[in-house]
Amino acid sequence: MTSTPTLDLPVVALTMGDAAGIGPEVIVPAVLDERVAAWCRPVVIGDVARLRSAAEILGVTCDVVAVDHVRDAEFRPGRINVVDLGLIPADLPWGELSSVAGHAAYEYIRVASELAVAGEVQAICTAPLNKEALHAAGHVFPGHTELLAHLTGTEEVSMMLSTPKLKVIHVTTHIGLLDAVAKIEPGLVERTVRRGHDALVRSGTPNPKIGLCGINPHAGENGLFGYGEEDLKIVPAVEVLRADGIDAVGPLPADTAFFLAGRGDYDLIVAMYHDQGHGPVKVLGIEAGVNITVGLPVIRTSVDHGTAFDIAGKGIAESGSMVEALRQAAELATSTTPVG
């Protein structure tokens, strides 16, 4: 048994995600994990009955307790505190697309965002939602990142993927490849690098070395490939960053940049578009990855896997990625203000 967390630990709003997916099943063991209790004070934004059902499926004995406010939460071994929105019917099937679950997932994020903006929580950690279910409920957002930016009134955020061996931040994410190339410009590249730099400094890397990928094969190979995008869109940003004392290097050929980072040459790689960054991270294993949104009023982390409808409700989902997401949420949390 672990001791009750001290009041200087950050409070993390842990959203339940899509109730038909594996979110509840990875939340229960993660919140009960002794390591998590030593890192932070998680409060689930979700549904008490669904979490109790998940605990029963897992064969876990615990107290899932509804609280009206974050400040009412009590932290002790075997207890899961839940701000219960009561949006999930008892007969909601596991593993099936549901607009009801999609709407509930939206509401969990909305409440967590309000708590973050009000300063009642110092980080948000999200279980996976299903985009099709979210859209079916009338909430048309590409994903968590864009939804959180909208709800917190944040104009621009960046997605960072973090593993024990590799950290990657994206200049563009959920748009088509041609649109991504058109969107990339020196200001956006510069702001993305600064957000990544600040996040790493906050987590204990005082002078991170940052490598920027090129857009074209071999980073354009001196104009041989592409139409000079690297010189137009990336080089000016690197020059400004270096003049400000940020150790930024690039543009680098993307096919070697990730290898170099994996062996320790770079603390952070800047990917120019979604698949350029996601592919190498997921090769390392989805269970090892954490999705971090930087640029919000608070840090937001998430597991780097989906709702896994095919195994939901079977009690076989792994909670390791959720534990790691909570660890990084605590590590990067904006402050350590006590509850209440």
Side-chain angles (χ1 to χ4, degrees):
M1 287 288 192
T2 186
S3 59
T4 302
T6 58
L7 290 180
D8 62 347
L9 294 179
V11 183
V12 178
L14 174 51
T15 59
M16 200 175 76
D18 193 301
I22 62 172
E25 292 170 85
V26 298
I27 284 175
V28 168
V31 173
L32 298 176
D33 193 296
E34 290 184 346
R35 295 168 296 174
V36 170
W39 299 329
C40 65
R41 292 174 288 165
V43 177
V44 181
I45 314 300
D47 186 276
V48 163
R50 196 63 166 183
L51 290 165
R52 287 175 179 163
S53 177
E56 184 177 346
I57 289 168
L58 294 165
V60 172
T61 300
C62 61
D63 294 323
V64 183
V65 182
V67 295
D68 292 330
H69 306 283
V70 170
R71 62 179 176 272
D72 299 327
E74 298 177 14
F75 299 92
R76 58 175 182 264
R79 175 178 167 125
I80 300 175
N81 296 284
V82 186
V83 175
D84 184 16
L85 301 194
L87 297 172
I88 302 302
D91 60 351
L92 181 81
W94 293 95
E96 294 183 16
L97 187 75
S98 163
S99 61
V100 172
H103 175 66
Y106 170 86
E107 288 296 309
Y108 304 151
I109 295 296
R110 181 187 62 78
V111 171
S113 298
E114 290 177 356
L115 292 170
V117 171
E120 294 185 51
V121 301
Q122 287 74 59
I124 296 171
C125 183
T126 59
L129 54 73
N130 183 283
K131 294 172 187 174
E132 189 176 351
L134 186 71
H135 293 178
H139 308 295
V140 184
F141 295 90
H144 267 122
T145 303
E146 296 82 1
L147 175 54
L148 281 161
H150 169 74
L151 290 171
T152 59
T154 307
E155 287 189 12
E156 193 173 270
V157 296
S158 295
M159 177 190 293
M160 180 188 293
L161 301 181
S162 177
T163 75
K165 285 189 174 183
L166 181 66
K167 287 183 172 60
V168 182
I169 194 167
H170 295 70
V171 175
T172 65
T173 50
H174 296 124
I175 55 176
L177 184 55
L178 294 178
D179 293 331
V181 174
K183 184 176 181 178
I184 297 166
E185 50 86 21
L188 178 58
V189 173
E190 179 192 341
R191 294 190 299 275
T192 301
V193 173
R194 289 187 188 277
R195 282 190 284 270
H197 174 271
D198 292 348
L200 264 64
V201 169
R202 181 160 50 190
S203 65
T205 305
N207 186 32
K209 188 166 186 176
I210 302 172
L212 287 80
C213 290
I215 297 171
N216 296 296
H218 299 221
E221 189 123 347
N222 297 316
L224 183 62
F225 305 119
Y227 299 93
E229 288 88 352
E230 282 75 18
D231 286 341
L232 292 171
K233 297 170 177 285
I234 300 173
V235 170
V238 172
E239 291 174 347
V240 171
L241 291 163
R242 292 189 66 83
D244 281 353
I246 294 176
D247 192 359
V249 180
L252 304 169
D255 58 355
T256 57
F258 295 96
F259 164 75
L260 295 175
R263 74 178 188 186
D265 290 14
Y266 295 98
D267 299 298
L268 178 66
I269 291 295
V270 181
M272 294 296 138
Y273 51 91
H274 184 281
D275 287 10
Q276 188 183 61
H278 276 61
V281 169
K282 292 192 175 181
V283 165
L284 296 175
I286 288 177
E287 71 283 352
V290 172
N291 186 325
I292 303 170
T293 305
V294 291
L296 294 169
V298 295
I299 284 291
R300 170 258 174 170
T301 67
S302 177
V303 292
D304 193 29
H305 60 68
T307 48
F309 281 171
D310 57 324
I311 63 169
K314 297 180 180 179
I316 59 175
E318 293 288 338
S319 63
S321 185
M322 178 58 78
V323 171
E324 178 61 14
L326 284 164
R327 185 190 71 79
Q328 295 207 36
E331 185 177 85
L332 295 168
T334 52
S335 69
T336 55
T337 304
V339 172

